Amino acid sequence: MAEIRIEDLGSRFEHFELREISETIPRGRITAIVGRNGSGKSTLLRVLARLTKPDKGQIRYDDVPIGAYSRKEFAQLVSLLSQEKGHVPDVTVRELVAYGRAPRQSMFRYRPTPEDEKAIDWALSTTGIRHNEYRLFHTMSGGEQQKARIAMALAQESSVLLLDEPTTYLDLSHQLEIMEMLKSLNRKLNLTIVMVLHDLQQAAAYCDHLIAMENGRVAVSGPPRAVINRRFMLNVFGVVAKVDLRGDYPIIIPIPQPVKEESSMVIVTNVSQITKGSGMLLIERFNKAGKVEGMKGFLGLEVMLTENTKEYDEVTVSTRWETKEDFQAWTKSEAFRESHAHRQTPEYILSNKIVFYDVKVVRQPLEQVESPSA
Amino acid sequence: MNVQARNDRRRWIGIALAPILIASVLYGIGSGSVSISVPEIWRIVFNEGDPAHEAILWNLRLPRVLVGLLVGACLAASGALLQGVMRNPLADPGIIGVSAGGGLAAVVALVLFPQFGYLLPGFAFGGALLSAMMIYLLAWDGGSSPTKIVLAGIAVNALLGGVMNGIMVLNSDRIQSVIPWLAGGLAGRSWPHLQFLLPYAVIGLSLVPFAAKASNLLTLGDQSAQSLGQHVERQRFLIVALASLLAGAAVSVAGLVGFVGLIVPHAIRLLIGDDYRYLLPYSIAGGAALMVAADTAARSWFDPIELPAGVLLACIGAPFFLVLLKRRRLVR
């Protein structure tokens, strides 16, 4: 049993950075680390597993600084189920689980002691794969393989179990089975379990403590049911979600939002002032002109008739184009020339003005910020 | 493959390797321009044989067979260790620069300083170890990674190979003695070579069993091995050093025998899986038997011409290996 204290931790690993993290991970509880991709979850787990040395700050297991343990002592205290997909040799499940005894054996010892055998039997039974102990690891399904890996970690007989996304890539029933198994291990053996999780519902359902990471810092931590709400979802994950934690199994439903879009176009308006009442004449004339719809870069066309109280009406034809070049190509096209060349300007057109607009279009979802009471 | 099949195969191949090894030794001693039958070998051992045959056996055949056994065992063990520690099925003793370093040193010795030709094994051995060390240092960046070692190995191999070719082109009148060495083989190897090889081979091979467990754990991945309390960097260094010692010793007396280090561990892995507790000893036995058999075939099939064993190994071994490859999955 160990309480893990993180004190003012700072660490860089590859392009991930952790900053000013001070947290206490409760003893004998299940803690989930959540956050977006790249928020530093796995880096934090790496530091806890002593795979990366922190640049700053300290981590203490039971008040002992993490660096004070020898390799073997540390492996007897903390076991890690990493996401690393290394190659598992052609061994049986039992032989793989026996690797978990390595921290308690000398490098050159192959034959397990009775104590080793007992620990291996126990790990196999606890994870419910005793009946498969003599099967080759590679012949088992992904879910069963994951259980075998967990059994290997358990055979270390450590009091802290760190897991990096233990349920990723598993089907739903195996996901639940693994989470139930971890929960019962925690309850029965008082194991301190820390895991990186992507599924917030699982985190809320099975964990006692939640650490939410954002940009290498802890955004918020505490009991999941107290921490997770709509505001949390928006701040930590940038997702609008419906959160219902009242039932047996927490329900978090993300509500898809339109994403921010940016585009540009050219609008060309042709405003003609015409004598009153002759609007329809001009519009009919436009209807006959040209096959603009087929042109490259053509986005759309509107014709508006404004019947003024003044002494003239106005007809506005606006066309939208992807680029100015597309419009110019149209004015140079055969179809355009055909429709304009041999026709005289009718006398009901008083004046005519053409305007180009370069337009930038930004579509942005509205920020849904709620009051803290929600 | 289920566990029963795996265990059966392990057992039968383990049992089969002993007679194969004995057969290859008898074949090596008995075959050649003068053939010596098995009963006669028996009589010679008890001092009742034909004195001429006795001389051939003691002075030519036996030392050559013994050198072959050790060379094959060292190369295969080295390849098996490197494939594991690099997590790369393409790794062989060449990848850590042993061939290029040994080759360059040998060319320097034979071409530029022919008067010191008798120092050739020592020279090649030193070159092999130096280049392995160079690759490891170049790949070091606060820690080692298999990918970096492989890439640094490719670069150093290219550099040393270039220098070697340059020396050969500039001294093209004097490279006659180098070519058989580069092709790899055991022609003319005798007691002095065995004497040179024996201590390194015995020390190296007796350390191999201690690397089995670490090799198994390292294949799981650095993080997994580390969380099982292993000192990953130290183990990787020691295993690479051991592999360099084994391959360097082999190369120094037999020249650039390719293939054994790559193919033998592979073939064994395809047959019995990659648990290093079995893979390593089986590779050692298989490599020893193959080297002796190939060397014997290379010198007796085309009598009076003697092919370098490396040539024969490549010509017969490669197709055999391809058949094996077709029939089984290589990597899961």
Side-chain angles (χ1 to χ4, degrees):
Chain A
M1 248 202 306
E3 180 183 72
I4 311 169
R5 279 223 310 276
I6 308 170
E7 295 162 0
D8 192 29
L9 181 76
S11 177
R12 278 188 76 87
F13 174 70
E14 287 166 5
H15 47 279
F16 298 111
E17 193 173 4
L18 299 178
R19 275 168 298 194
E20 297 162 27
I21 296 180
S22 294
E23 279 292 321
T24 300
I25 292 174
R27 179 197 306 264
R29 293 289 159 85
I30 303 182
T31 298
I33 305 175
V34 300
R36 296 193 213 203
N37 288 334
S39 60
K41 311 182 291 289
S42 294
T43 309
L44 181 57
L45 200 74
R46 278 186 70 91
V47 177
L48 290 176
R50 217 172 72 162
L51 296 175
T52 307
K53 228 185 189 157
D55 303 322
K56 193 169 154 285
Q58 185 59 271
I59 291 178
R60 291 172 197 276
Y61 280 82
D62 279 339
D63 288 329
V64 181
I66 195 168
Y69 293 96
S70 76
R71 265 164 215 284
K72 293 218 159 167
E73 282 168 2
F74 191 73
Q76 291 173 20
L77 177 72
V78 179
S79 47
L80 167 74
L81 185 72
S82 74
Q83 243 193 333
E84 185 175 56
K85 290 278 172 273
H87 172 75
V88 173
D90 296 307
V91 292
T92 61
V93 170
R94 192 180 177 85
E95 286 166 335
L96 181 76
V97 173
Y99 287 173
R101 300 302 293 169
R104 294 170 193 271
Q105 291 169 330
S106 101
M107 201 60 234
F108 311 119
R109 187 182 179 87
Y110 293 112
R111 200 168 288 282
T113 62
E115 200 183 321
D116 289 335
E117 298 283 8
K118 230 175 92 188
I120 295 164
D121 287 342
W122 168 79
L124 287 163
S125 308
T126 308
T127 49
I129 51 171
R130 187 78 194 262
H131 60 288
N132 275 333
E133 62 179 331
Y134 294 114
R135 273 187 68 183
L136 288 177
F137 178 79
H138 293 289
T139 62
M140 310 223 298
S141 74
E144 299 294 303
Q145 290 189 349
Q146 188 68 325
K147 286 192 212 163
R149 287 202 178 90
I150 292 176
M152 177 173 91
L154 289 180
Q156 281 179 247
E157 292 188 305
S158 58
S159 58
V160 180
L161 183 56
L162 308 177
L163 307 104
D164 197 355
E165 298 184 30
T167 56
T168 306
Y169 304 125
L170 299 185
D171 63 52
L172 199 55
S173 74
H174 273 117
Q175 289 190 17
L176 290 179
E177 216 177 315
I178 298 268
M179 295 303 287
E180 285 291 338
M181 192 173 88
L182 292 172
K183 189 172 163 182
S184 88
L185 281 170
N186 162 261
R187 300 294 183 255
K188 273 192 237 152
L189 307 168
N190 234 341
L191 273 185
T192 304
I193 297 179
V194 184
M195 55 186 151
V196 170
L197 276 183
H198 268 306
D199 188 325
L200 278 172
Q201 300 192 133
Q202 278 175 12
Y206 290 101
C207 300
D208 309 299
H209 189 74
L210 189 92
I211 299 176
M213 303 285 297
E214 197 190 1
N215 284 331
R217 295 170 199 270
V218 173
V220 59
S221 65
R225 283 172 191 261
V227 169
I228 299 177
N229 54 32
R230 293 194 62 158
R231 192 178 175 75
F232 168 91
M233 293 302 296
L234 193 64
N235 290 344
V236 177
F237 289 94
V239 167
V240 178
K242 217 168 108 180
V243 179
D244 183 356
L245 303 176
R246 287 166 301 182
D248 289 340
Y249 200 85
I251 299 169
I252 300 168
I253 304 169
I255 302 162
Q257 300 294 303
V259 290
K260 185 175 168 178
E261 271 180 70
E262 272 193 30
S263 58
S264 61
M265 62 175 157
V266 172
I267 300 178
V268 185
T269 61
N270 182 346
V271 184
S272 306
Q273 294 183 354
I274 53 174
T275 55
K276 277 193 109 33
S278 52
M280 290 316 291
L281 286 173
L282 182 59
I283 291 171
E284 271 168 34
R285 196 180 135 85
F286 276 126
N287 276 344
K288 288 175 199 147
K291 298 149 189 138
V292 71
E293 291 86 351
M295 291 303 295
K296 178 182 168 290
F298 174 77
L299 296 174
L301 173 145
E302 280 92 31
V303 179
M304 288 172 284
L305 170 63
T306 316
E307 296 188 318
N308 279 321
T309 50
K310 295 175 190 163
E311 61 276 17
Y312 56 86
D313 289 347
E314 271 178 341
V315 170
T316 305
V317 179
S318 87
T319 50
R320 286 173 283 123
W321 301 84
E322 282 176 10
T323 64
K324 201 167 178 173
E325 287 70 35
D326 291 333
F327 171 75
Q328 283 164 348
W330 153 242
T331 61
K332 288 173 192 146
S333 73
E334 204 54 43
F336 182 87
R337 243 179 290 150
E338 252 173 52
S339 64
H340 287 69
H342 305 295
R343 289 191 292 173
Q344 292 172 341
T345 310
E347 68 281 2
Y348 53 81
I349 294 183
L350 306 173
S351 74
N352 187 289
K353 195 169 96 183
I354 295 179
V355 185
F356 289 88
Y357 298 93
D358 272 316
V359 182
K360 187 172 158 195
V361 185
V362 180
R363 294 175 214 275
Q364 193 166 12
L366 294 172
E367 284 284 342
Q368 298 209 1
V369 181
E370 289 176 55
S371 60
S373 61
Chain B
M1 179 159 63
N2 65 31
V3 68
Q4 194 56 45
R6 182 200 70 173
N7 291 348
D8 284 351
R9 194 172 288 149
R10 259 186 200 166
R11 184 174 316 119
W12 289 117
I13 290 175
I15 291 172
L17 276 169
I20 289 175
L21 202 55
I22 292 169
S24 71
V25 168
L26 291 177
Y27 176 47
I29 291 176
S31 305
S33 44
V34 173
S35 54
I36 305 174
S37 65
V38 175
E40 192 167 6
I41 294 173
W42 190 258
R43 284 197 295 277
I44 290 171
V45 170
F46 288 100
N47 251 330
E48 293 162 5
D50 176 345
H53 285 184
E54 193 174 330
I56 291 174
L57 190 148
W58 290 117
N59 298 334
L60 300 175
R61 302 269 171 88
L62 185 63
R64 184 163 174 169
V65 164
L66 291 176
V67 169
L69 286 174
L70 290 180
V71 164
C74 287
L75 287 175
S78 173
L81 287 171
L82 288 171
Q83 284 166 16
V85 78
M86 301 294 171
R87 296 187 205 111
N88 187 334
L90 295 177
D92 77 339
I95 210 89
I96 45 164
V98 169
S99 310
L104 178 61
V107 168
V108 168
L110 289 170
V111 174
L112 301 182
F113 306 105
Q115 64 274 31
F116 298 121
Y118 60 95
L119 291 176
L120 178 64
F123 235 77
F125 189 47
L129 293 190
L130 263 177
S131 71
M133 205 156 50
M134 189 157 111
I135 287 170
Y136 209 88
L137 284 176
L138 285 172
W140 185 267
D141 178 19
S144 65
S145 92
T147 318
K148 274 195 182 151
I149 295 175
V150 170
L151 290 175
I154 289 171
V156 169
N157 279 335
L159 175 71
L160 298 182
V163 173
M164 186 171 87
N165 286 335
I167 292 175
M168 284 168 63
V169 168
L170 293 176
N171 298 278
S172 50
D173 52 327
R174 283 191 281 176
I175 58 171
Q176 276 309 315
S177 56
V178 181
I179 290 169
W181 194 88
L182 291 181
L186 299 175
R189 303 302 193 270
S190 188
W191 293 113
H193 297 96
L194 185 68
Q195 213 176 357
F196 179 85
L197 176 60
L198 195 65
Y200 301 112
V202 166
I203 292 171
L205 290 173
S206 59
L207 288 174
V208 166
F210 297 113
K213 190 170 178 180
S215 294
N216 273 341
L217 293 175
L218 281 179
T219 48
L220 295 175
D222 282 9
Q223 293 183 16
S224 306
Q226 209 169 325
S227 61
L228 290 170
Q230 307 303 303
H231 196 320
V232 170
E233 287 299 350
R234 186 196 294 163
Q235 288 173 356
R236 181 148 54 219
F237 174 77
L238 290 175
I239 290 175
V240 171
L242 177 58
S244 315
L245 173 77
L246 288 165
V251 163
S252 65
V253 298
L256 304 188
V257 180
F259 199 77
V260 176
L262 177 67
I263 301 304
V264 170
H266 248 322
I268 300 288
R269 179 178 293 128
L270 289 169
L271 292 170
I272 64 154
D274 61 358
D275 186 337
Y276 278 84
R277 292 172 303 167
Y278 295 88
L279 180 60
L280 288 169
Y282 283 33
S283 294
I284 288 175
L290 180 66
M291 188 68 209
V292 170
D295 176 56
T296 309
R299 70 180 156 80
S300 53
W301 285 3
F302 305 97
D303 194 46
I305 298 170
E306 185 170 332
L307 275 184
V311 173
L312 192 79
L313 272 169
C315 294
I316 294 179
F320 167 75
F321 180 70
L322 287 174
V323 170
L324 208 57
L325 203 59
K326 280 273 179 214
R327 294 184 52 190
R328 291 188 196 290
R329 287 171 300 170
L330 178 61
V331 182
R332 230 160 291 279

